[in-house]
Amino acid sequence: MQETRIRIFLVEDDEIDAMSFERALKKSGFGNYLLKHCKNAPEALETLGREEFDCIFLDYQLPGSDGLELLKRIRVQGVNTPIAVMTSQGDEKIAVEMMKAGAFDYFPKAEVTPENITKIIRSGLRLKESETQKARFEQALKENIDRLNTIVESTNALIFSVDKGLRYTSFNSRFKKTIQKLYNIEPEIGLQAVYDFYLDKDRKAIYDEFKKALEGEHTVITEEFGDPSGVSSYYEFSFNPIIDDEGNVSGVAVYGQDCTKRNKEQLEILESKLEAERTAKAKSEFLSNMSHEIRTPMNAIIGLSELLLKENLTEKQLENMKSIKFSADNLLVIINDILDFSKIESGKVEFESLNFDIFSKVHEIRKTFIFKAEEKGLGLKFEIDEKIPQFLVGDPYRLNQILLNLLSNAVKFTKEGTVSLLVNLISEEEDNIHVEFKVVDTGIGIPKDKLASVFESYTQAYTDITRRFGGTGLGLAITRQLVTMQNGEISLDSEPGVGTTFTVKLKFKKGEIEGVGTPEDMIAELLEKRDFGGMSVLLVEDNVMNQFVACQVLELWNIKVECADNGLEAVKLLEKKDYAIVLMDLQMPAMNGYEATAFIRDKTNKLRNPDIPIIALTADAFPETRKKVLDEGMNDFVTKPLEQNDLYAKIKQHALKSVKA
Ligand code: ATP
Ligand code: MG
């Protein structure tokens, strides 16, 4: 390997000294060197301006200038080459001065030996090498800092840092401009940063973030700023502790980003979502109120037509009465659907966990359809898998509703053939039972392209459905909701002209076996004459029509009814008289059903019988209402329009209990 040539520069006015230096250099270990020699300061400076050397040997005594002076000039000229100084007197003082001015070594001329020269050149080279390296590092560092500065300066972000006293230690021009724009002042290094932020409003949040960062936390907050023209913008600031070499927090670096656009979009989305929710809520509240209001007169129509049907009517009248009753029942189904649907839409549905007998439930449902099917000449096939446990835990009301919807569709859309309900066990786990309900018909079917949309609300497969069959197209929407809200599945399979199958899969818990009445008991009950032997009952109900209907029914069972128009009147009557039972409407002026109940139950009010059985008359059968009624101290409830069997059974149950008590 070729040894790199070492370049030596000798500044020496004395010829003899120069020669002895040269001789010593020749004998030194360096084979490949270049020696340049000059005799005075101006010449030396001029040469150094042109050429570069690895090591300079400098005589202290030069004509017209001393070595110290020259040394300083050389450095001023920007030459960093290591300089060794030669002295003739061996004056220590001079040597110290020269070292202070930047020489790296010195030696008396008497000691110019090959060994010394080698030693000095070697350390000079080492020094030069480390100097160059240092220079390279510095250069790289500077480049890095420049690059970083370019980034910091060109970014849209606001960047600044503060010390522990929250005084600015740096900021980028974007930050400066923003502060200027917002507050018409300039941030200054060394001044309090928080002060700037406080100019428009109390920014305790920002102050708190500074404090957290000073404790070592990294945090992010979003703040709103309003510029003088009133336009507000949002900035997201991240606060980052600056950690010094000892690992202590020495300040905080803050990075802020304009997130006005993002924020605005988010706000807009939120706003439109809220708006949609408000509209949906208003809609469902309207529907819910409407249907609720309509139920009251419906109560009267249905109750009275039931009573009329029992009178001695001519055939023609009977026919008409049946039609009235049929239409009224239908109308009630629609109203109930709408009420249900709005409840579901507004998320007000709760599901019960009740122990129930699935076999009798299916049997009950079958009974509901016998008449309809016979009328249309349809076969009715109900099958339930014997492997299914008799008692399950779930919501029997909702199951009822689901199956009634599917079956009434099946009957409605089938002209001839059979409507079936097939109940099968899918699988059984330790506590749970998976059951499948299939509603199969041989009716008109649903076209392929409508299969998906029939589950949507107010959607029917053919445009003339309402005209031909009635209905609102809500049944399946409700059904699907009721199924999926219980984590069940609903699917359908249909072929136009052949028939339709709806399949519902639901999970139930296994229930507990309950005592069941024997068939004899049931028959005895049916044959029983409904006679309460003149028992007196207080009916609290504000609607005159409802009063009238209920009185007719109750009197039929030999009950002496007294009516109160509202809770207040009821309470007054209960102070003076004894009754076997109270039938209590819920919504009433002056004092509603809940308030009246609370008053009656409160023993300090000293009514004749604070424990008197109270049966609520409610227009809706939602679990929430049922629960509320019982929670507020009533004993039971019947839904309006009054179902005679239900009302009879409940009066019997509670009145007898109270007599026994
Ligand atoms: P509603 O149930 O609200 O009284 P509807 O019965 O018309 O009215 P859905 O029960 O939601 O409404 O049914 C939606 C549509 O799906 C029906 O209008 C009908 O076109 C179609 N459909 C549902 N069940 C059947 C079936 N078993 N056979 C044929 N078509 C059906
Ligand atoms: Mg329907």
Side-chain angles (χ1 to χ4, degrees):
M1 203 176 80
Q2 170 85 43
E3 207 186 324
T4 39
R5 173 180 280 201
I6 297 156
R7 293 154 304 173
I8 314 277
F9 187 42
L10 175 67
V11 188
E12 172 66 81
D13 57 328
D14 188 312
E15 279 300 329
I16 311 252
D17 286 348
M19 268 164 68
S20 63
F21 180 88
E22 211 171 330
R23 223 176 301 129
L25 181 60
K26 226 177 235 165
K27 286 195 190 146
S28 73
F30 303 102
N32 191 8
Y33 66 84
L34 176 129
L35 177 69
K36 194 117 199 186
H37 173 209
C38 75
K39 291 179 180 159
N40 55 46
E43 212 181 305
L45 287 171
E46 198 252 335
T47 312
L48 285 169
R50 260 187 294 117
E51 284 178 59
E52 214 184 296
F53 297 92
D54 296 311
C55 195
I56 300 169
F57 287 87
L58 185 61
D59 182 12
Y60 175 66
Q61 248 146 10
L62 291 168
S65 140
D66 66 12
L68 189 60
E69 175 74 21
L70 178 59
L71 184 74
K72 284 181 182 159
R73 279 172 185 259
I74 291 173
R75 291 297 185 230
V76 168
Q77 209 168 294
V79 176
N80 288 322
T81 315
I83 299 174
V85 177
M86 300 179 293
T87 56
S88 345
Q89 302 99 322
D91 191 330
E92 294 295 318
K93 253 203 203 139
I94 291 168
V96 171
E97 283 302 305
M98 295 295 274
M99 299 288 273
K100 272 192 196 156
F104 83 97
D105 210 346
Y106 83 96
F107 61 99
K109 284 185 182 168
E111 285 174 29
V112 175
T113 62
E115 294 74 42
N116 275 344
I117 297 242
T118 309
K119 217 171 74 201
I120 289 171
I121 293 180
R122 286 244 162 85
S123 57
L125 286 177
R126 267 198 302 275
L127 185 65
K128 181 155 190 259
E129 177 57 28
S130 72
E131 288 290 330
T132 6
Q133 214 151 41
K134 200 172 125 204
R136 263 204 300 271
F137 280 144
E138 272 168 4
Q139 181 62 24
L141 199 63
K142 188 174 171 299
E143 277 168 19
N144 255 337
I145 291 176
D146 286 350
R147 219 170 308 150
L148 216 59
N149 270 339
T150 318
I151 296 173
V152 167
E153 283 305 311
S154 61
T155 170
N156 271 337
L158 314 180
I159 300 174
F160 68 97
S161 60
V162 296
D163 62 12
K164 269 158 73 176
L166 305 184
R167 286 173 293 257
Y168 289 117
T169 48
S170 70
F171 45 77
N172 67 349
S173 45
R174 186 74 189 194
F175 177 77
K176 188 168 147 183
K177 273 188 214 138
T178 309
I179 292 287
Q180 271 171 334
K181 192 177 123 202
L182 287 176
Y183 306 125
N184 206 17
I185 57 152
E186 274 195 22
E188 261 177 61
I189 302 285
L191 289 187
Q192 283 283 328
V194 198
Y195 174 75
D196 288 351
F197 289 105
Y198 270 88
L199 284 177
D200 59 343
K201 67 174 188 192
D202 177 28
R203 300 217 183 261
K204 186 162 179 323
I206 287 191
Y207 183 69
D208 287 346
E209 299 312 292
F210 272 124
K211 278 211 315 213
K212 278 191 229 161
L214 284 176
E215 276 154 24
E217 250 183 86
H218 291 260
T219 64
V220 176
I221 59 160
T222 304
E223 279 277 289
E224 185 188 352
F225 291 88
D227 76 0
S229 62
V231 181
S232 65
S233 33
Y234 292 84
Y235 285 91
E236 185 185 271
F237 289 103
S238 75
F239 290 76
N240 307 284
I242 301 172
I243 314 282
D244 67 12
D245 291 344
E246 270 104 63
N248 301 319
V249 180
S250 64
V252 183
V254 184
Y255 176 94
Q257 228 177 350
D258 187 341
C259 58
T260 312
K261 195 158 160 256
R262 195 182 69 200
N263 238 46
K264 215 172 130 210
E265 280 164 8
Q266 279 170 348
L267 280 178
E268 273 166 13
I269 293 171
L270 196 72
E271 191 52 40
S272 59
K273 210 177 121 207
L274 285 178
E275 179 60 34
E277 272 167 15
R278 273 195 293 270
T279 316
K281 193 157 168 260
K283 188 183 87 186
S284 67
E285 264 168 15
F286 171 76
L287 285 174
S288 156
N289 289 340
M290 276 303 290
S291 30
H292 206 91
E293 290 302 312
I294 298 172
R295 286 172 68 110
T296 307
M298 284 306 295
N299 176 22
I301 296 171
I302 291 176
L304 289 176
S305 45
E306 267 171 10
L307 286 172
L308 272 177
L309 277 169
K310 290 193 182 124
E311 309 263 320
N312 289 326
L313 301 174
T314 66
E315 195 147 321
K316 182 87 188 136
Q317 284 170 329
L318 188 66
E319 220 25 61
N320 288 347
M321 263 331 290
K322 273 188 184 161
S323 288
I324 291 176
K325 171 77 167 47
F326 178 78
S327 304
D329 282 344
N330 245 342
L331 188 55
L332 191 67
V333 170
I334 294 175
I335 293 163
N336 284 344
D337 271 4
I338 293 176
L339 190 59
D340 254 13
F341 189 67
S342 34
K343 286 262 176 177
I344 289 174
E345 272 202 326
S346 56
K348 281 191 196 147
V349 178
E350 279 175 25
F351 291 90
E352 299 268 21
S353 259
L354 296 176
N355 200 45
F356 71 98
D357 176 348
I358 177 119
F359 284 80
S360 23
K361 187 93 244 166
V362 169
H363 184 69
E364 232 173 72
I365 294 172
R366 184 187 154 86
K367 274 203 300 197
T368 333
F369 284 96
I370 291 177
F371 177 71
K372 261 268 181 63
E374 250 171 33
E375 213 177 37
K376 288 187 83 171
L378 298 175
L380 209 53
K381 190 170 111 185
F382 274 50
E383 284 176 8
I384 172 162
D385 193 342
E386 293 291 335
K387 290 200 290 293
I388 298 176
Q390 185 178 2
F391 287 95
L392 301 178
V393 174
D395 192 329
Y397 307 103
R398 303 306 185 181
L399 177 63
N400 205 35
Q401 213 176 347
I402 292 166
L403 295 177
L404 286 186
N405 273 336
L406 295 178
L407 284 163
S408 59
N409 279 351
V411 170
K412 179 159 67 168
F413 298 113
T414 304
K415 247 222 243 54
E416 52 187 14
T418 307
V419 166
S420 324
L421 171 65
L422 312 172
V423 188
N424 282 306
L425 178 75
I426 313 174
S427 63
E428 185 172 350
E429 292 157 9
E430 183 154 353
D431 298 326
N432 296 324
I433 290 282
H434 294 261
V435 183
E436 174 192 78
F437 301 86
K438 268 186 189 303
V439 176
V440 187
D441 67 47
T442 53
I444 60 170
I446 302 170
K448 283 265 166 310
D449 62 322
K450 290 282 159 46
L451 286 180
S453 62
V454 289
F455 285 113
E456 280 159 28
S457 43
Y458 308 108
T459 303
Q460 298 177 320
Y462 299 97
T463 42
D464 58 350
I465 290 253
T466 308
R467 184 171 48 77
R468 280 166 58 203
F469 303 99
T472 52
L474 276 177
L476 283 180
I478 293 170
T479 306
R480 180 174 63 175
Q481 290 276 20
L482 292 177
V483 172
T484 52
M485 287 171 95
Q486 298 182 84
N487 297 321
E489 287 168 30
I490 182 163
S491 58
L492 102 123
D493 195 12
S494 182
E495 192 152 330
V498 179
T500 306
T501 301
F502 279 91
T503 308
V504 169
K505 291 180 184 167
L506 285 173
K507 185 177 90 176
F508 296 95
K509 284 219 169 62
K510 289 183 191 166
E512 279 160 22
I513 295 160
E514 277 174 0
V516 206
T518 61
E520 288 76 28
D521 288 344
M522 289 200 265
I523 293 166
E525 207 167 292
L526 280 177
L527 291 177
E528 181 190 42
K529 193 174 174 303
R530 295 184 168 177
D531 188 344
F532 284 100
M535 175 177 88
S536 71
V537 166
L538 177 62
L539 172 69
V540 194
E541 162 71 84
D542 60 322
N543 185 294
V544 187
M545 208 57 202
N546 284 347
Q547 276 185 13
F548 176 69
V549 178
C551 286
Q552 299 245 0
V553 173
L554 294 172
E555 277 158 13
L556 210 63
W557 302 335
N558 196 14
I559 285 176
K560 217 169 118 270
V561 199
E562 271 182 67
C563 293
D565 289 338
N566 55 53
L568 212 56
E569 263 180 41
V571 171
K572 279 187 198 143
L573 285 171
L574 286 164
E575 270 173 0
K576 290 182 274 179
K577 288 190 184 175
D578 287 318
Y579 301 92
I581 203 160
V582 179
L583 302 178
M584 179 85 80
D585 185 23
L586 295 178
Q587 254 85 58
M588 288 177 298
M591 185 189 260
N592 69 32
Y594 298 114
E595 290 161 351
T597 304
F599 192 92
I600 296 167
R601 295 292 183 239
D602 184 349
K603 296 216 159 62
T604 60
N605 289 325
K606 299 211 165 62
L607 296 190
R608 295 175 73 95
N609 180 9
D611 299 317
I612 189 165
I614 303 175
I615 298 178
L617 308 176
T618 112
D620 72 59
F622 289 108
E624 308 83 83
T625 316
R626 283 205 294 265
K627 188 166 173 300
K628 179 151 195 237
V629 159
L630 300 180
D631 286 351
E632 305 270 323
M634 293 177 234
N635 302 66
D636 215 326
F637 57 86
V638 290
T639 47
K640 294 195 285 188
L642 298 174
E643 212 277 304
Q644 293 192 13
N645 289 340
D646 190 30
L647 181 63
Y648 176 75
K650 287 190 171 147
I651 293 180
K652 196 174 146 196
Q653 181 194 345
H654 293 285
L656 291 186
K657 224 191 264 169
S658 88
V659 168
K660 269 185 215 151

